[in-house]
Amino acid sequence: MTTLSHHLPATGSVPTVERAQGALTTVAANAYLRLFAVVMVIAAGAAALILAIALLLDLVVPIVFANEIHALAALFPQTAG
């Protein structure tokens, strides 16, 4: 017995199920939205880096120079009277 003569009964087309697309699927399908998402992630990282550097300087400068006035005088000696 061979399987060459066996056929599935013709019942018509099989219905396809449409899947709902989530936000990430929609973004991944559109090149402009992907570019926008990448730019937003880079901008958020840059903003976080700037805030971290500002916070670090705000914490370290008073410890090293005792206060901000002495720090400014040490960093810019030409302005110190």
Side-chain angles (χ1 to χ4, degrees), residues 29-79:
N30 190 338
Y32 290 112
L33 289 177
R34 275 188 298 192
L35 177 64
F36 180 72
V38 168
V39 169
M40 288 288 96
V41 168
I42 291 172
L49 181 65
I50 290 170
L51 289 175
I53 290 172
L55 180 65
L56 183 68
L57 286 176
D58 194 38
L59 293 175
V60 170
V61 166
I63 292 171
V64 173
F65 293 104
N67 64 22
E68 285 83 5
I69 299 300
H70 289 114
L72 288 174
L75 294 172
F76 304 106
Q78 69 273 13
T79 59

Side-chain angles (χ1 to χ4, degrees), residues 3-29:
T3 57
L4 296 176
S5 62
H6 292 266
H7 300 298
L8 291 174
T11 58
S13 63
V14 178
T16 58
V17 178
E18 291 290 329
R19 296 186 68 190
Q21 290 186 349
L24 290 177
T25 307
T26 304
V27 169

